[in-house]
Amino acid sequence: MYIGVDCGTQSTKVVVVDVERGAILAEASRPHSLIEDDHGRREQDPGEWISALRGALGEALGSVGIDPMAIRAIGVSGQQHGLVALDDKGEPVYPAKLWCDTETAAHNAALVERLGGEAGCLDKLGLVLQTGYTASKLAWLREREPQAYRRIESLLLPHDYLNFWLTGERVTEAGDASGTGYFDTRARAWREDVFAAIAPELDPDRVLPRLIEASEPAGTLRPALARELGLSSDVLVSSGGGDNMLGAIGTGNITPGLVTMSLGTSGTVCAYSPAPVIADSAMVANFCSSTGGWLPLICTMNVTSATTRVRELFGLDLETFGERIASASVGAEGVTVLPFFNGERVPMLPEASASFLGLSGANVTQANLCRAVMEGATFGLRYGLDLFGSLTEGASQIRLIGGGAKSPVWRQMVADVTATPVICPEVTDAAALGAALQAAWCHQHAHGVTLEALCTRLVHLDAASVAEPDAGATAAYREVYARYHRALAERHGLAP
Protein backbone atom coordinates (compact mmCIF):
# COMPACT_ATOMS: atom_id res chain seq x y z
CA MET A 1 0.00 0.00 0.00
CA TYR A 2 1.11 3.57 -0.70
CA ILE A 3 0.20 7.00 0.64
CA GLY A 4 -0.33 10.09 -1.48
CA VAL A 5 -0.38 13.58 0.06
CA ASP A 6 -1.52 16.80 -1.59
CA CYS A 7 -0.79 20.02 0.32
CA GLY A 8 -2.86 22.66 -1.48
CA THR A 9 -3.88 26.21 -0.72
CA GLN A 10 -7.08 25.32 1.09
CA SER A 11 -6.30 21.92 2.63
CA THR A 12 -4.02 18.91 2.88
CA LYS A 13 -5.48 15.69 1.48
CA VAL A 14 -4.27 12.14 2.04
CA VAL A 15 -5.13 8.97 0.11
CA VAL A 16 -4.13 5.37 0.82
CA VAL A 17 -3.82 3.27 -2.35
CA ASP A 18 -3.62 -0.50 -2.80
CA VAL A 19 -1.73 -0.88 -6.08
CA GLU A 20 -2.28 -4.63 -6.38
CA ARG A 21 -6.06 -4.26 -6.11
CA GLY A 22 -6.10 -0.99 -8.07
CA ALA A 23 -8.16 0.64 -5.34
CA ILE A 24 -8.18 3.69 -3.08
CA LEU A 25 -8.72 2.40 0.45
CA ALA A 26 -9.02 5.63 2.43
CA GLU A 27 -9.13 9.41 2.04
CA ALA A 28 -8.97 12.25 4.57
CA SER A 29 -8.27 15.99 4.62
CA ARG A 30 -7.70 18.91 6.95
CA PRO A 31 -8.11 22.64 6.12
CA HIS A 32 -5.57 25.50 6.15
CA SER A 33 -6.12 29.18 6.88
CA LEU A 34 -4.82 32.01 4.68
CA ILE A 35 -3.08 35.27 5.56
CA GLU A 36 -4.20 37.90 3.01
CA ASP A 37 -4.69 41.62 2.52
CA ASP A 38 -5.74 44.09 -0.16
CA HIS A 39 -2.18 44.56 -1.45
CA GLY A 40 -1.97 41.06 -2.92
CA ARG A 41 -0.41 39.36 0.11
CA ARG A 42 -1.20 35.63 0.29
CA GLU A 43 0.75 33.71 2.92
CA GLN A 44 0.46 30.63 5.14
CA ASP A 45 2.17 29.30 8.25
CA PRO A 46 4.03 26.12 7.17
CA GLY A 47 3.29 24.73 10.62
CA GLU A 48 -0.36 24.47 9.54
CA TRP A 49 0.65 22.12 6.72
CA ILE A 50 2.33 19.78 9.20
CA SER A 51 -0.65 19.88 11.57
CA ALA A 52 -3.01 19.19 8.67
CA LEU A 53 -0.83 16.34 7.41
CA ARG A 54 -0.67 14.77 10.88
CA GLY A 55 -4.44 14.95 11.25
CA ALA A 56 -5.33 13.70 7.77
CA LEU A 57 -2.71 10.95 7.87
CA GLY A 58 -3.89 9.77 11.29
CA GLU A 59 -7.50 9.62 10.11
CA ALA A 60 -6.66 7.78 6.90
CA LEU A 61 -4.43 5.22 8.63
CA GLY A 62 -7.14 4.66 11.23
CA SER A 63 -9.65 3.58 8.60
CA VAL A 64 -11.08 0.07 8.77
CA GLY A 65 -8.96 -2.43 6.87
CA ILE A 66 -5.76 -0.37 6.80
CA ASP A 67 -2.65 -2.08 8.18
CA PRO A 68 -0.16 0.78 8.74
CA MET A 69 2.74 -1.69 8.66
CA ALA A 70 1.82 -2.54 5.05
CA ILE A 71 2.63 1.00 3.85
CA ARG A 72 5.70 0.90 1.62
CA ALA A 73 6.17 4.51 0.48
CA ILE A 74 4.74 8.04 0.72
CA GLY A 75 4.59 10.64 -2.05
CA VAL A 76 3.98 14.36 -1.49
CA SER A 77 2.42 16.88 -3.86
CA GLY A 78 2.60 20.55 -2.88
CA GLN A 79 1.30 23.87 -4.15
CA GLN A 80 3.93 25.25 -6.49
CA HIS A 81 6.16 28.31 -6.10
CA GLY A 82 5.73 28.90 -2.35
CA LEU A 83 8.81 30.28 -0.57
CA VAL A 84 9.68 28.35 2.59
CA ALA A 85 12.79 29.97 4.07
CA LEU A 86 14.26 28.15 7.08
CA ASP A 87 16.83 29.08 9.71
CA ASP A 88 19.64 26.92 11.05
CA LYS A 89 17.18 25.03 13.28
CA GLY A 90 14.87 24.21 10.37
CA GLU A 91 12.23 26.73 11.45
CA PRO A 92 10.56 29.20 9.04
CA VAL A 93 12.03 32.71 9.25
CA TYR A 94 8.80 34.16 7.78
CA PRO A 95 5.39 32.79 6.71
CA ALA A 96 5.41 31.06 3.32
CA LYS A 97 4.48 33.40 0.49
CA LEU A 98 2.21 31.42 -1.86
CA TRP A 99 1.76 30.99 -5.60
CA CYS A 100 -1.19 33.40 -5.53
CA ASP A 101 0.73 36.20 -3.77
CA THR A 102 0.92 39.23 -6.11
CA GLU A 103 2.56 41.59 -3.62
CA THR A 104 5.86 40.90 -5.39
CA ALA A 105 4.75 42.02 -8.88
CA ALA A 106 7.17 44.97 -8.96
CA HIS A 107 10.04 42.73 -7.87
CA ASN A 108 9.23 40.29 -10.65
CA ALA A 109 9.21 43.07 -13.27
CA ALA A 110 12.58 44.30 -12.01
CA LEU A 111 14.07 40.79 -12.17
CA VAL A 112 12.84 40.25 -15.72
CA GLU A 113 14.49 43.52 -16.74
CA ARG A 114 17.72 42.62 -14.93
CA LEU A 115 17.88 39.27 -16.75
CA GLY A 116 17.52 40.92 -20.15
CA GLY A 117 13.77 40.92 -20.62
CA GLU A 118 11.77 38.00 -21.98
CA ALA A 119 14.58 37.01 -24.36
CA GLY A 120 17.11 36.95 -21.52
CA CYS A 121 14.82 34.86 -19.33
CA LEU A 122 14.22 32.36 -22.12
CA ASP A 123 17.94 32.10 -22.77
CA LYS A 124 18.87 31.55 -19.13
CA LEU A 125 15.84 29.64 -17.80
CA GLY A 126 13.85 28.29 -20.74
CA LEU A 127 10.83 30.27 -19.52
CA VAL A 128 9.90 33.83 -18.61
CA LEU A 129 9.63 34.84 -14.94
CA GLN A 130 6.10 35.54 -13.81
CA THR A 131 4.67 37.05 -10.65
CA GLY A 132 3.97 34.13 -8.38
CA TYR A 133 7.25 32.29 -9.05
CA THR A 134 9.55 31.86 -6.06
CA ALA A 135 12.23 34.25 -7.34
CA SER A 136 10.30 37.48 -6.79
CA LYS A 137 9.24 36.29 -3.33
CA LEU A 138 12.88 35.90 -2.35
CA ALA A 139 13.70 39.36 -3.76
CA TRP A 140 10.76 40.77 -1.77
CA LEU A 141 11.93 39.10 1.45
CA ARG A 142 15.45 40.48 0.95
CA GLU A 143 14.12 44.02 0.60
CA ARG A 144 11.16 44.07 2.98
CA GLU A 145 12.21 41.66 5.76
CA PRO A 146 16.00 41.96 5.95
CA GLN A 147 16.26 40.51 9.47
CA ALA A 148 14.42 37.36 8.41
CA TYR A 149 16.43 37.21 5.18
CA ARG A 150 19.75 37.27 7.07
CA ARG A 151 18.69 34.16 9.05
CA ILE A 152 18.14 32.00 5.94
CA GLU A 153 19.95 28.66 5.92
CA SER A 154 17.64 26.74 3.57
CA LEU A 155 15.22 27.62 0.76
CA LEU A 156 12.56 25.03 0.09
CA LEU A 157 9.26 24.72 -1.76
CA PRO A 158 6.13 23.51 0.07
CA HIS A 159 6.47 19.89 -1.01
CA ASP A 160 10.23 20.01 -0.24
CA TYR A 161 9.40 21.27 3.24
CA LEU A 162 7.02 18.38 3.94
CA ASN A 163 9.61 15.93 2.61
CA PHE A 164 12.14 17.58 4.96
CA TRP A 165 9.75 17.07 7.88
CA LEU A 166 9.18 13.44 6.90
CA THR A 167 12.83 12.53 6.24
CA GLY A 168 15.16 15.25 7.51
CA GLU A 169 16.57 15.54 3.95
CA ARG A 170 16.71 18.82 1.94
CA VAL A 171 16.09 17.67 -1.62
CA THR A 172 13.93 18.61 -4.60
CA GLU A 173 13.22 17.41 -8.15
CA ALA A 174 13.10 19.16 -11.51
CA GLY A 175 9.30 19.46 -11.79
CA ASP A 176 8.72 21.66 -8.77
CA ALA A 177 12.14 23.36 -9.09
CA SER A 178 11.03 24.57 -12.56
CA GLY A 179 8.76 27.13 -10.95
CA THR A 180 11.37 28.79 -8.75
CA GLY A 181 12.68 31.17 -11.42
CA TYR A 182 16.32 30.26 -10.78
CA PHE A 183 16.30 26.84 -12.43
CA ASP A 184 17.25 26.06 -16.05
CA THR A 185 14.30 23.97 -17.25
CA ARG A 186 16.17 22.64 -20.29
CA ALA A 187 19.39 21.60 -18.53
CA ARG A 188 17.43 20.57 -15.40
CA ALA A 189 19.91 22.36 -13.14
CA TRP A 190 20.06 25.34 -10.78
CA ARG A 191 21.04 28.55 -12.54
CA GLU A 192 23.44 29.97 -9.98
CA ASP A 193 24.12 33.23 -11.84
CA VAL A 194 20.38 34.00 -11.84
CA PHE A 195 20.17 33.10 -8.17
CA ALA A 196 23.06 35.47 -7.46
CA ALA A 197 21.16 38.29 -9.18
CA ILE A 198 18.25 37.69 -6.79
CA ALA A 199 20.03 36.91 -3.52
CA PRO A 200 23.75 37.77 -3.80
CA GLU A 201 24.42 37.23 -0.09
CA LEU A 202 23.22 33.60 -0.13
CA ASP A 203 25.44 30.68 -1.14
CA PRO A 204 23.38 28.44 -3.45
CA ASP A 205 25.43 25.37 -2.53
CA ARG A 206 24.41 25.94 1.09
CA VAL A 207 20.79 27.09 0.87
CA LEU A 208 19.37 25.30 -2.19
CA PRO A 209 18.18 21.70 -1.86
CA ARG A 210 19.99 18.87 -3.58
CA LEU A 211 18.43 17.88 -6.91
CA ILE A 212 17.33 14.26 -7.34
CA GLU A 213 15.64 12.38 -10.17
CA ALA A 214 11.86 11.98 -10.12
CA SER A 215 12.22 8.22 -9.61
CA GLU A 216 14.61 8.61 -6.64
CA PRO A 217 13.51 8.58 -3.01
CA ALA A 218 13.90 11.77 -1.00
CA GLY A 219 14.80 9.50 1.89
CA THR A 220 13.20 7.22 4.44
CA LEU A 221 10.75 8.19 7.15
CA ARG A 222 12.43 9.55 10.28
CA PRO A 223 12.49 6.73 12.89
CA ALA A 224 10.77 8.80 15.59
CA LEU A 225 8.03 9.83 13.18
CA ALA A 226 7.60 6.26 11.94
CA ARG A 227 7.07 5.12 15.54
CA GLU A 228 4.63 7.94 16.20
CA LEU A 229 2.56 7.07 13.11
CA GLY A 230 2.80 3.32 13.61
CA LEU A 231 4.60 2.83 10.29
CA SER A 232 7.55 0.66 9.36
CA SER A 233 10.97 2.24 9.78
CA ASP A 234 11.87 1.54 6.14
CA VAL A 235 9.01 3.48 4.52
CA LEU A 236 10.37 5.41 1.54
CA VAL A 237 9.42 9.01 0.75
CA SER A 238 9.49 9.61 -3.00
CA SER A 239 10.80 12.73 -4.70
CA GLY A 240 7.27 14.18 -4.87
CA GLY A 241 6.62 17.32 -6.88
CA GLY A 242 4.39 20.30 -7.54
CA ASP A 243 0.63 19.82 -7.53
CA ASN A 244 0.39 20.38 -11.27
CA MET A 245 3.05 17.76 -11.99
CA LEU A 246 1.52 15.18 -9.66
CA GLY A 247 -1.97 16.05 -10.90
CA ALA A 248 -0.79 15.20 -14.42
CA ILE A 249 0.36 11.79 -13.19
CA GLY A 250 -2.99 11.30 -11.45
CA THR A 251 -4.80 11.79 -14.78
CA GLY A 252 -2.45 9.55 -16.73
CA ASN A 253 -1.01 12.55 -18.61
CA ILE A 254 2.51 11.15 -18.89
CA THR A 255 2.69 10.64 -22.68
CA PRO A 256 2.05 13.04 -25.59
CA GLY A 257 -1.49 13.70 -26.85
CA LEU A 258 -3.44 14.39 -23.67
CA VAL A 259 -4.57 17.67 -22.10
CA THR A 260 -5.22 18.02 -18.37
CA MET A 261 -7.25 20.97 -17.12
CA SER A 262 -7.67 21.72 -13.43
CA LEU A 263 -10.59 23.64 -11.95
CA GLY A 264 -9.15 24.27 -8.51
CA THR A 265 -8.56 27.42 -6.48
CA SER A 266 -6.38 28.28 -9.45
CA GLY A 267 -6.71 26.79 -12.92
CA THR A 268 -4.14 25.02 -15.03
CA VAL A 269 -3.83 23.56 -18.51
CA CYS A 270 -0.91 21.22 -19.24
CA ALA A 271 0.23 18.73 -21.86
CA TYR A 272 3.14 16.28 -21.63
CA SER A 273 6.19 16.66 -23.89
CA PRO A 274 9.21 14.33 -24.11
CA ALA A 275 11.48 17.33 -24.87
CA PRO A 276 11.77 20.97 -23.74
CA VAL A 277 9.28 23.32 -25.37
CA ILE A 278 9.70 26.99 -26.20
CA ALA A 279 6.18 28.19 -26.93
CA ASP A 280 5.18 31.27 -28.92
CA SER A 281 3.86 32.91 -25.74
CA ALA A 282 5.88 33.74 -22.63
CA MET A 283 2.81 32.78 -20.57
CA VAL A 284 3.30 29.09 -21.44
CA ALA A 285 5.81 27.82 -18.91
CA ASN A 286 8.31 25.18 -20.03
CA PHE A 287 8.16 23.29 -16.74
CA CYS A 288 9.71 19.89 -16.25
CA SER A 289 7.40 17.04 -15.32
CA SER A 290 7.80 14.91 -12.20
CA THR A 291 8.30 11.86 -14.42
CA GLY A 292 11.53 12.77 -16.22
CA GLY A 293 9.96 14.67 -19.13
CA TRP A 294 8.48 18.14 -19.57
CA LEU A 295 5.06 19.59 -18.81
CA PRO A 296 4.31 22.85 -20.69
CA LEU A 297 1.73 24.61 -18.57
CA ILE A 298 -0.33 27.75 -18.12
CA CYS A 299 -1.87 28.83 -14.81
CA THR A 300 -4.76 31.16 -14.11
CA MET A 301 -5.22 32.48 -10.60
CA ASN A 302 -9.02 32.82 -10.33
CA VAL A 303 -11.16 29.72 -10.77
CA THR A 304 -13.03 28.21 -7.80
CA SER A 305 -11.61 31.05 -5.70
CA ALA A 306 -13.68 33.40 -7.91
CA THR A 307 -16.86 31.33 -8.13
CA THR A 308 -16.79 30.71 -4.38
CA ARG A 309 -16.74 34.46 -3.68
CA VAL A 310 -19.92 35.02 -5.71
CA ARG A 311 -21.60 31.87 -4.41
CA GLU A 312 -20.96 32.84 -0.80
CA LEU A 313 -21.99 36.44 -1.48
CA PHE A 314 -25.46 35.10 -2.31
CA GLY A 315 -25.38 32.52 0.49
CA LEU A 316 -25.84 29.59 -1.91
CA ASP A 317 -24.79 25.99 -1.41
CA LEU A 318 -23.04 24.22 -4.30
CA GLU A 319 -26.18 22.47 -5.54
CA THR A 320 -28.24 25.66 -5.65
CA PHE A 321 -25.34 27.56 -7.25
CA GLY A 322 -25.27 24.98 -10.03
CA GLU A 323 -29.04 25.26 -10.49
CA ARG A 324 -28.80 29.05 -10.83
CA ILE A 325 -26.10 28.72 -13.50
CA ALA A 326 -28.03 26.08 -15.43
CA SER A 327 -31.12 28.32 -15.44
CA ALA A 328 -29.26 31.19 -17.14
CA SER A 329 -28.54 31.29 -20.86
CA VAL A 330 -25.14 31.12 -22.54
CA GLY A 331 -23.52 34.53 -22.18
CA ALA A 332 -25.59 35.49 -19.09
CA GLU A 333 -27.69 37.96 -21.10
CA GLY A 334 -24.70 40.21 -21.77
CA VAL A 335 -23.01 40.12 -18.35
CA THR A 336 -19.22 39.69 -18.58
CA VAL A 337 -17.03 39.04 -15.57
CA LEU A 338 -13.26 39.45 -15.53
CA PRO A 339 -12.80 37.52 -12.26
CA PHE A 340 -9.36 38.85 -11.33
CA PHE A 341 -9.93 38.98 -7.56
CA ASN A 342 -6.33 37.82 -6.97
CA GLY A 343 -4.74 39.65 -9.88
CA GLU A 344 -4.06 37.33 -12.83
CA ARG A 345 -1.20 35.42 -14.39
CA VAL A 346 -2.89 34.42 -17.70
CA PRO A 347 -3.60 36.90 -19.13
CA MET A 348 -0.58 38.57 -17.47
CA LEU A 349 -2.32 41.12 -15.22
CA PRO A 350 -0.81 40.67 -11.72
CA GLU A 351 -2.22 43.94 -10.36
CA ALA A 352 -5.69 43.69 -11.94
CA SER A 353 -8.93 43.64 -9.95
CA ALA A 354 -12.25 41.98 -10.78
CA SER A 355 -14.75 43.66 -13.12
CA PHE A 356 -18.47 43.03 -13.64
CA LEU A 357 -19.40 44.49 -17.03
CA GLY A 358 -22.51 44.92 -19.15
CA LEU A 359 -24.89 45.19 -16.23
CA SER A 360 -28.37 46.62 -16.83
CA GLY A 361 -31.66 46.74 -15.01
CA ALA A 362 -32.83 43.79 -17.11
CA ASN A 363 -29.91 41.37 -16.60
CA VAL A 364 -28.83 41.92 -12.98
CA THR A 365 -30.11 38.61 -11.71
CA GLN A 366 -28.57 36.13 -9.33
CA ALA A 367 -28.52 33.49 -12.07
CA ASN A 368 -26.73 35.72 -14.58
CA LEU A 369 -24.09 36.86 -12.10
CA CYS A 370 -23.43 33.27 -11.06
CA ARG A 371 -23.15 32.09 -14.64
CA ALA A 372 -21.02 35.04 -15.73
CA VAL A 373 -18.37 34.46 -13.06
CA MET A 374 -18.11 30.77 -14.01
CA GLU A 375 -17.90 31.74 -17.68
CA GLY A 376 -15.18 34.29 -16.90
CA ALA A 377 -13.09 31.70 -15.07
CA THR A 378 -13.56 29.24 -17.95
CA PHE A 379 -12.66 31.86 -20.59
CA GLY A 380 -9.37 32.45 -18.75
CA LEU A 381 -8.53 28.76 -19.20
CA ARG A 382 -9.62 28.87 -22.86
CA TYR A 383 -7.34 31.92 -23.27
CA GLY A 384 -4.48 29.85 -21.90
CA LEU A 385 -5.34 26.81 -24.01
CA ASP A 386 -5.20 28.98 -27.14
CA LEU A 387 -1.64 30.01 -26.22
CA PHE A 388 -0.40 26.42 -26.61
CA GLY A 389 -0.92 26.60 -30.38
CA SER A 390 0.26 23.41 -32.05
CA LEU A 391 1.08 21.78 -28.70
CA THR A 392 -2.60 20.99 -28.12
CA GLU A 393 -4.08 21.21 -31.61
CA GLY A 394 -6.29 18.26 -32.37
CA ALA A 395 -6.61 17.18 -28.73
CA SER A 396 -9.34 14.57 -28.68
CA GLN A 397 -10.13 14.92 -25.00
CA ILE A 398 -9.66 17.15 -21.97
CA ARG A 399 -9.21 15.36 -18.66
CA LEU A 400 -10.77 17.59 -16.05
CA ILE A 401 -9.74 17.59 -12.38
CA GLY A 402 -10.09 19.76 -9.28
CA GLY A 403 -13.09 20.67 -7.16
CA GLY A 404 -14.89 22.42 -10.03
CA ALA A 405 -14.77 19.23 -12.10
CA LYS A 406 -17.43 17.73 -9.82
CA SER A 407 -19.98 20.19 -11.25
CA PRO A 408 -21.92 18.78 -14.26
CA VAL A 409 -22.78 22.31 -15.43
CA TRP A 410 -19.11 23.33 -15.35
CA ARG A 411 -18.01 20.21 -17.23
CA GLN A 412 -20.50 21.01 -19.95
CA MET A 413 -19.41 24.64 -20.03
CA VAL A 414 -15.75 23.61 -20.55
CA ALA A 415 -16.78 21.25 -23.37
CA ASP A 416 -18.86 23.96 -25.05
CA VAL A 417 -16.28 26.76 -24.62
CA THR A 418 -13.35 24.64 -25.90
CA ALA A 419 -15.37 22.59 -28.45
CA THR A 420 -13.64 19.49 -27.02
CA PRO A 421 -15.06 16.42 -25.23
CA VAL A 422 -14.44 16.44 -21.48
CA ILE A 423 -14.07 13.53 -19.08
CA CYS A 424 -13.02 13.25 -15.43
CA PRO A 425 -10.90 10.62 -13.79
CA GLU A 426 -12.82 8.81 -11.08
CA VAL A 427 -10.50 10.60 -8.63
CA THR A 428 -10.82 14.32 -9.46
CA ASP A 429 -8.40 15.29 -6.65
CA ALA A 430 -5.70 13.87 -8.89
CA ALA A 431 -2.60 15.33 -7.21
CA ALA A 432 -2.87 13.08 -4.14
CA LEU A 433 -3.41 10.02 -6.35
CA GLY A 434 -0.48 11.10 -8.54
CA ALA A 435 1.68 11.36 -5.43
CA ALA A 436 0.74 7.82 -4.42
CA LEU A 437 1.48 6.55 -7.94
CA GLN A 438 4.87 8.24 -7.94
CA ALA A 439 5.58 6.69 -4.52
CA ALA A 440 4.76 3.24 -5.90
CA TRP A 441 6.97 3.90 -8.95
CA CYS A 442 9.85 5.01 -6.72
CA HIS A 443 9.46 1.85 -4.62
CA GLN A 444 9.02 -0.60 -7.51
CA HIS A 445 10.90 0.79 -10.53
CA ALA A 446 14.07 -1.11 -9.61
CA HIS A 447 12.00 -4.26 -10.24
CA GLY A 448 10.99 -3.08 -13.72
CA VAL A 449 7.59 -1.60 -12.85
CA THR A 450 6.86 1.41 -15.04
CA LEU A 451 4.85 4.48 -14.22
CA GLU A 452 2.75 3.84 -17.34
CA ALA A 453 1.75 0.43 -15.96
CA LEU A 454 0.83 1.93 -12.61
CA CYS A 455 -1.29 4.65 -14.24
CA THR A 456 -3.08 2.03 -16.34
CA ARG A 457 -3.91 0.13 -13.18
CA LEU A 458 -4.98 3.07 -11.01
CA VAL A 459 -6.18 5.93 -13.23
CA HIS A 460 -9.78 5.13 -14.12
CA LEU A 461 -11.97 7.46 -16.17
CA ASP A 462 -15.54 8.14 -15.11
CA ALA A 463 -17.78 7.37 -18.09
CA ALA A 464 -20.69 9.08 -16.33
CA SER A 465 -18.78 12.38 -16.32
CA VAL A 466 -18.43 12.71 -20.11
CA ALA A 467 -19.55 16.06 -21.56
CA GLU A 468 -19.74 16.33 -25.35
CA PRO A 469 -19.77 19.81 -26.89
CA ASP A 470 -23.26 21.03 -27.79
CA ALA A 471 -23.13 22.49 -31.30
CA GLY A 472 -25.54 25.32 -30.53
CA ALA A 473 -23.80 26.31 -27.30
CA THR A 474 -20.37 26.10 -28.93
CA ALA A 475 -21.49 28.43 -31.69
CA ALA A 476 -22.99 30.87 -29.18
CA TYR A 477 -19.80 30.88 -27.12
CA ARG A 478 -17.73 32.07 -30.08
CA GLU A 479 -19.38 35.49 -29.77
CA VAL A 480 -19.41 35.46 -25.95
CA TYR A 481 -15.69 34.60 -25.89
CA ALA A 482 -15.03 37.40 -28.39
CA ARG A 483 -16.90 39.71 -25.99
CA TYR A 484 -14.53 38.58 -23.21
CA HIS A 485 -11.55 39.54 -25.42
CA ARG A 486 -13.10 42.94 -26.13
CA ALA A 487 -13.51 43.49 -22.39
CA LEU A 488 -9.82 42.65 -21.85
CA ALA A 489 -8.92 45.18 -24.52
CA GLU A 490 -11.14 47.91 -23.10
CA ARG A 491 -10.30 47.40 -19.42
CA HIS A 492 -6.65 46.35 -19.64
CA GLY A 493 -5.39 47.31 -23.09
CA LEU A 494 -4.85 43.74 -24.27
CA ALA A 495 -5.21 43.17 -28.01
CA PRO A 496 -8.47 41.34 -28.80
Side-chain angles (χ1 to χ4, degrees), residues 83-108:
L83 174 66
V84 187
L86 305 180
D87 64 16
D88 57 0
K89 296 181 175 59
E91 296 296 326
V93 302
Y94 187 83
K97 293 188 85 64
L98 305 184
W99 62 271
C100 50
D101 184 289
T102 58
E103 188 176 23
T104 68
H107 295 80
N108 185 72

Side-chain angles (χ1 to χ4, degrees), residues 1-2 16-26 64-67 444 454 456-458 460:
M1 290 192 289
Y2 300 89
V16 181
V17 173
D18 186 324
V19 168
E20 296 305 316
R21 291 166 51 190
I24 294 178
L25 305 182
V64 175
I66 302 292
D67 176 9
Q444 298 185 23
L454 291 167
T456 298
R457 193 179 301 174
L458 267 297
H460 307 299

Side-chain angles (χ1 to χ4, degrees), residues 61-136:
L61 290 174
S63 300
V64 175
I66 302 292
D67 176 9
M69 295 302 291
I71 301 297
R72 294 292 173 257
I74 299 172
V76 176
S77 157
Q79 50 184 302
Q80 281 194 264
H81 310 311
L83 174 66
V84 187
L86 305 180
D87 64 16
D88 57 0
K89 296 181 175 59
E91 296 296 326
V93 302
Y94 187 83
K97 293 188 85 64
L98 305 184
W99 62 271
C100 50
D101 184 289
T102 58
E103 188 176 23
T104 68
H107 295 80
N108 185 72
L111 286 173
V112 171
E113 182 178 359
R114 196 178 312 159
L115 295 179
E118 291 189 0
C121 289
L122 287 169
D123 177 62
K124 295 176 176 66
L125 303 168
L127 48 71
V128 177
L129 290 180
Q130 296 188 33
T131 299
Y133 288 10
T134 319
S136 60

Side-chain angles (χ1 to χ4, degrees), residues 87 178 288 356 419 437:
D87 64 16
S178 298
C288 301
F356 287 68
L437 287 167

Side-chain angles (χ1 to χ4, degrees), residues 187-455:
R188 305 172 84 90
W190 295 122
R191 187 77 192 219
E192 294 190 1
D193 57 336
V194 174
F195 185 81
I198 301 163
E201 301 83 2
L202 300 181
D203 177 3
D205 290 334
R206 176 172 59 86
V207 302
L208 295 181
R210 176 172 56 90
L211 284 161
I212 61 174
E213 295 296 323
S215 58
E216 284 186 68
T220 55
L221 202 58
R222 291 187 292 113
L225 187 57
R227 289 192 296 271
E228 175 192 328
L229 299 173
L231 298 175
S232 169
S233 59
D234 61 356
V235 169
L236 290 178
V237 177
S238 70
S239 65
D243 51 359
N244 294 307
M245 290 75 193
L246 277 298
I249 295 174
T251 65
N253 191 351
I254 59 172
T255 55
L258 289 176
V259 172
T260 297
M261 181 181 290
S262 173
L263 304 179
T265 306
S266 62
T268 57
V269 179
C270 62
Y272 178 86
S273 173
V277 171
I278 302 298
D280 293 334
S281 170
M283 287 179 277
V284 179
N286 176 44
F287 288 161
C288 301
S289 73
S290 291
T291 64
W294 280 263
L295 196 72
L297 178 146
I298 66 95
C299 176
T300 68
M301 299 180 74
N302 299 274
V303 183
T304 62
S305 56
T307 58
T308 298
R309 287 179 187 273
V310 172
R311 179 176 63 81
E312 292 180 346
L313 179 67
F314 290 131
L316 304 176
D317 59 25
L318 285 168
E319 182 179 357
T320 307
F321 184 62
E323 291 171 356
R324 295 287 192 276
I325 293 166
S327 71
S329 60
V330 169
E333 296 186 272
V335 180
T336 299
V337 175
L338 305 179
F340 307 147
F341 294 97
N342 294 320
E344 190 48 86
R345 185 182 295 176
V346 175
M348 201 178 294
L349 299 166
E351 297 179 341
S353 57
S355 302
F356 287 68
L357 308 172
L359 301 176
S360 71
N363 65 16
V364 180
T365 66
Q366 195 178 84
N368 281 336
L369 291 174
C370 290
R371 185 174 189 97
V373 73
M374 184 177 282
E375 287 182 342
T378 306
F379 291 154
L381 290 163
R382 164 66 191 278
Y383 186 106
L385 186 62
D386 290 347
L387 297 176
F388 277 83
S390 61
L391 291 174
T392 55
E393 279 179 2
S396 60
Q397 186 183 84
I398 292 175
R399 295 191 176 181
L400 204 62
I401 60 174
K406 298 173 184 177
S407 164
V409 70
W410 210 337
R411 293 197 297 269
Q412 188 61 52
M413 186 180 290
V414 171
D416 293 339
V417 168
T418 63
T420 306
V422 164
I423 192 168
C424 296
E426 290 182 356
V427 179
T428 57
D429 291 326
L433 174 60
L437 287 167
Q438 194 209 49
W441 180 45
C442 175
H443 181 249
Q444 298 185 23
H445 85 283
H447 303 290
V449 177
T450 66
L451 186 57
E452 290 87 345
L454 291 167
C455 286

